[in-house]
Amino acid sequence: TIRDVWLGDRLVWSEGETVSPLASDLFAAHHSYVGDMSANNRLANALSLSSYVGPFTNELETDKEPYGWRILLSDPIPDEKLARKEQNMVTSGRNIVGLIENLDHVTFVYTAGGTEQERTVTAADASAFFGEDIKNCGTDIQTLSRLLELHGLL
C-alpha cells in the first residue's frame, strides 16, 4: 500500500489526500528544538511570517523550561490594522508552537496606540482551540492540514 508520494523533497500526497504546497513546506520545516535559530527561520519563511506580521527580530527563552520564542515586531501597528495583525499573530503562533516540538509559547511584542503590547500563544491554548494536541501537527501532515483549513489558510 502506498501511503505517501514525494516529489523531490515535497510531500504531495499522503494517505489518500492531496497535500497543499503550504502544508508540505510547513511540515518540512517542523523541528525539535526552538534553540535552533536557523530552523526557526526556515519555519518563519515557510509561514511567510513577515508578510503577516511585518518585519521582526527574535529573542529566545531557552535558559529553562518552559521554552519560548519572542518575536519583536519592528514597526508600530496602526489602529486600523491592529485587529487583523493580532489575528495573524494568533494564527501564526498556533502553527509555530505546533511545529517546534519543545516550544511551549510564542510571544509577539509590538507597539500599538503608542504603547508596547504583547500577545502570547501557548501550546495549551492552541491545543484547546484545535481540539487536540497541537504538537500532532508536527507528526502528521493531515493533522497540520486540518489546522491550516481551520485558520482559512487552505
Side-chain angles (χ1 to χ4, degrees), residues 135-152:
K135 298 299 183 176
N136 293 340
C137 292
T139 59
D140 181 72
I141 197 158
Q142 296 304 334
T143 303
L144 174 59
S145 293
R146 283 196 312 275
L147 178 63
L148 295 174
E149 286 174 7
L150 192 57
H151 284 136

Side-chain angles (χ1 to χ4, degrees), residues 96-124:
I96 291 168
V97 296
L99 292 169
I100 302 176
E101 289 176 27
N102 76 335
L103 181 63
D104 176 74
H105 60 277
V106 176
T107 300
F108 294 87
V109 180
Y110 58 97
T111 300
T115 62
E116 185 174 280
Q117 301 180 37
E118 293 185 357
R119 174 68 55 125
T120 299
V121 177
T122 68

